[in-house]
Amino acid sequence: MPQIEQLSEVLSSQVFWLLVFFGLTFLVVGLGMVPKVMGTVDLRDRQIADDLAAAQAARDAADSEEEAWRKRENENRAAAQAVIAEAKAKAAKASETKLAKAQAKLDKQLAEAEAGIDAARASAMAEIEGVAADAARDIVARIAGTEVESAAAEAAVKEVMAHG
């Protein structure tokens, strides 16, 4: 077969050109394109690392800001609670003062009312004694048919009321 006989003559030439083509391809790709691709990959890796570092720094800054804010918020809350407690204490003291004044006024009115009641009681007792003395004189006059002096009837009524 002529194709097979020809193969031995062309084979060395084809292998030579194959090695030349792959060598040139290796030089172009290996020395020209690969370093550019690797440079791009390295640049991308550095950019990602820088972005991660910046994100972590931002997170740390945000955490410290949040902690400072919480501290200020707690201080403000404590100050507000102190103001509220002070206001409550002032209000309680003012209420206590008003209640004391009102109680004193009520005590005075009660004392005046008790004095009025005592005076009315004394007056009523005096009237009752007078009416009782008159009734005793009338009863003695009707039953016994004798007249009793007013002073004696009043003395007898006073004595009975003192015991009773």
Side-chain angles (χ1 to χ4, degrees), residues 12 90 99 113:
S12 63
K90 284 182 181 178
L99 286 175

Side-chain angles (χ1 to χ4, degrees), residues 52-125:
L52 288 174
Q56 185 62 39
R59 173 181 270 163
D60 292 343
D63 288 345
S64 66
E65 281 295 319
E66 180 184 9
E67 183 64 30
W69 175 82
R70 286 187 191 278
K71 185 177 179 183
R72 285 192 311 269
E73 185 68 22
N74 289 337
E75 289 170 356
N76 291 341
R77 186 175 287 121
Q81 291 294 332
V83 168
I84 289 170
E86 183 180 340
K88 281 183 181 179
K90 284 182 181 178
K93 188 174 183 179
S95 294
E96 209 173 285
T97 303
K98 286 181 182 179
L99 286 175
K101 286 180 182 178
Q103 186 65 40
K105 185 177 178 181
L106 288 174
D107 289 344
K108 181 180 175 185
Q109 288 176 347
L110 181 63
E112 290 173 359
E114 285 176 352
I117 290 172
D118 289 342
R121 183 180 294 141
S123 173
M125 290 303 278

